[in-house]
Amino acid sequence: MSITVDKEKCTGCGLCEKACPFGAIKIVEKIAVIGDECTLCGACVDQCNLKAISLQRKKLKDVDLSQYQDVWIVAEIKDGKVRNVSFELLGKAIELADELMQDPCVLLIGNNVTKFTQDFSNRGAKKIYIAENEDLKDYHTETYSSVITGIISKYKPNIVLYPATISGRDLAPRIAATLELGLTADCTGLSIKDGLLLQTRPAFGGNIMADIICPITRPQMATVRPNVMEMASANDNENTKIIEIPVNVDLQGLKIKTKEIISASSSECGIPVCEADIIVSGGRGVGCQENFKILEDLANVLKGAVGASRAAVDLGWIPKSQQVGQSGTTVSPRIYIACGISGTIQHLVGMKSSDIIIAINKDPEAPIFNVANYGIVGDLCEVVPLLTEALKKRLSEN
Amino acid sequence: MKFIVCVKQVPDTTEVKIDPETNTLIREGVPSILNPFDQFALEEAIKIRQEGDEIIVISMGPPQAKKALLKCLALGADKAILLSDKAFAGADTWATSYTLTQCIRKIGDFNIVFCGLQAIDGDTAQVGPEIAAQLGIPQITYVESIEKLEGKKLEAKVQTDDGYKIVEAKLPVLITGITSSSFEPTNPPMMSIMKANKKPFSTWTIDDLGGSSDNYGLNGSLTEVIKVYSPPARQQGVVIEDEKPDAAVLKLIELLSKDKVI
Ligand SMILES: Cc1cc2nc3c(=O)[nH]c(=O)nc-3n(C[C@H](O)[C@H](O)[C@H](O)COP(=O)(O)OP(=O)(O)OC[C@H]3O[C@@H](n4cnc5c(N)ncnc54)[C@H](O)[C@@H]3O)c2cc1C
Ligand SMILES: Cc1cc2nc3c(=O)[nH]c(=O)nc-3n(C[C@H](O)[C@H](O)[C@H](O)COP(=O)(O)OP(=O)(O)OC[C@H]3O[C@@H](n4cnc5c(N)ncnc54)[C@H](O)[C@@H]3O)c2cc1C
């Protein structure tokens, strides 16, 4: 192991002992002593004000890669619910694991997460690793990244998939850099090629696609766009192994603390836009904040979420959390309805991969029509309410 | 205080195309610009700076990336460092963040490191958190704005899935995400451009940064791009034009049910 405590520098202050999620550090005669439970997660290194702990990781270049087995997903739990994207990742993991003849596994981290075990075992997870602790209730980069870094180091998965959500995109690169691993961002396609994970992702504002591999490091890691992969379906699976991993968390030592949470969701059904199956989006063409009600009505009938262009957000008509595009959220719902949105590249990159795009715009030359499957040239204030009524009628007939 | 802003020169991706014959990027004729998100980050640093604070902009890139740094100096940064060496070429996010981390360590004594939300070419948003991890300092991603900076503490407004939160961080810290709403690319006035040429500018190579050459550029990269190609084109859609709203809606509903969308 390559973690060392500099006895000259260490004063035995105990900060590292508290910071260690795996209870591996004891202070013995005013010196920190690191025990066998150490997973090399690095939490103590960042905590030590005296820089007394140093950790050397070796690049995996000459390591036997075959000791890295199984396809893991890091499940995301939010507000006491499993986010759908976790089941999408599992769906993909099962497919990849089948091909590799390894096991699809789930890492559940948080407070009170054991209760979700069945959701994943029913859907085909072969092993479920559980890191449960009261103080993991809220996501903090520092606590989650050290715990997961440690678990990965110990259990050595071959592949780890994270959701490309706000927290997933915060967490995955932190872990990748700590463990010196390659990481592919925002994948929209994953497959196995010559035994390696072939990762497909859009780049250059969605203008190109790239195929990427991580040949020399393990685990191979990627963040995966929500709403792109098919969810794993429930099919009762009996032999799931549960592995409970005891962890300690010290919130006292956090360098970043949340002071206040300001929820501002405008979508009545409370689905985050990145997970919505149907999105009704409005742009500058909506005209005013009040008119967003027209879009909400349509979204409600379709049980979808309301999205927006940057222009509408900047005008203060709708909160930033609903913004779709390069500087907002990337979405790929089944149906995306763009109302009064011109379709600039920064908007398109955020929604172009939707299955069906419907555009309503009064300008027939608007670029949004170039990507739309269906379009109506007209005033949204007239068209949208009529559409809402027609759909309401239609859906009640079915 | 000392602020370090990481900036990247990028091709203007609104103008990038793929050569359909060779499936490679056509970069000729595509203008290079300062990554807009890095400009927003710099603007935020300028906004919170106080008398005596110093803003250093750093960029890893080819010699031409000097242009992006000069723009930053013209916008109000005090000092620029270009990290340019053949050995840095072909870096993935790990090698990029390693190089920037070496530079930041060498500068030393910093309080806040700023990165953009993401680079508009690579689009990964990974470099920021990867630098923070290597520096061993905390990170705050998806920051909307810095609300307060007092003593050794900073308060930031951060975007969440369904709104915002306010977080308090101990310095030093790394921040990414600013998408400031005054996003019209500000062009600095002529006077500032002339002044920028007089501000301190250095170019550092691998010898200045030290560390093992195995960690830089293509050698240090852990991911490998094996192919780039155009995304599949979307099918041409149906646009209903010149119809009264009710007739248009009727037609749309018909199409949607015919195609089994609803
Ligand atoms: C770095 C950067 C990042 C950006 N990130 C994003 C991003 O994440 N998301 C984003 O959306 N933008 C983003 N933008 C901004 C983007 O360039 C556009 O400015 C923005 O998308 C325009 O929004 P819009 O289509 O609503 O407005 P406009 O372009 O003004 O279009 C309004 C449309 O509404 C139509 N219209 C007007 N009235 C009606 C009516 N009554 N009925 C029907 N149609 C009507 C008009 O014909 C027009 O096509 C970014 C820009 C930059 C530089
Ligand atoms: C098509 C394609 C796909 C790619 N996919 C991946 C991938 O999935 N994983 C991977 O590891 N690499 C990938 N790369 C390589 C990656 O683009 C480069 O490593 C690049 O140097 C940094 O990544 P980025 O452009 O995504 O920056 P981001 O991580 O999006 O940049 C975030 C911020 O970091 C700072 N920053 C980034 N680069 C620099 C720089 N050179 N100088 C100063 N500051 C900087 C800026 O503040 C920037 O706003 C890909 C490259 C290509 C061409």
Side-chain angles (χ1 to χ4, degrees), chain A residues 362-395:
Chain A
K362 66 178 185 191
D363 173 11
E365 302 297 321
I368 189 79
F369 287 122
N370 297 336
V371 299
N373 303 71
Y374 307 95
I376 294 184
V377 179
D379 185 341
L380 70 93
C381 299
E382 292 172 10
V383 174
V384 177
L386 288 168
L387 184 61
T388 308
E389 279 316 305
L391 282 169
K392 201 194 257 170
K393 205 160 133 234
R394 168 104 208 163
L395 294 173

Side-chain angles (χ1 to χ4, degrees), chain A residues 159-193:
Chain A
I159 294 174
V160 183
L161 307 177
Y162 303 79
T165 51
I166 287 190
S167 44
R169 294 177 97 212
D170 179 77
L171 176 68
R174 181 100 196 173
I175 296 171
T178 307
L179 291 170
E180 294 197 14
L181 299 175
L183 176 67
T184 306
D186 294 332
C187 295
T188 55
L190 293 168
S191 56
I192 301 293
K193 189 177 174 243

Side-chain angles (χ1 to χ4, degrees), chain A residues 164 169 183-190 198-212 222-226 228-229 325-326 329-332 345 348-354, chain B residues 13 16 18 25 93 118-126 225 227-232:
Chain A
R169 294 177 97 212
L183 176 67
T184 306
D186 294 332
C187 295
T188 55
L190 293 168
L198 183 73
Q199 306 156 101
T200 303
R201 62 173 300 249
F204 285 72
N207 283 319
I208 67 164
M209 302 298 291
D211 285 349
I212 296 176
T223 62
V224 183
R225 285 251 169 100
V228 178
M229 310 295 175
Q326 193 176 47
T329 310
T330 302
V331 299
S332 38
I345 177 148
L348 296 185
V349 50
M351 44 65 79
K352 225 167 38 178
S353 56
S354 309
Chain B
T13 50
V16 172
I18 291 251
L25 283 179
T93 60
Q118 64 194 51
I120 62 167
D121 54 349
D123 266 346
T124 66
Q126 289 178 178
V225 178
K227 194 169 135 203
V228 297
Y229 47 99
S230 306

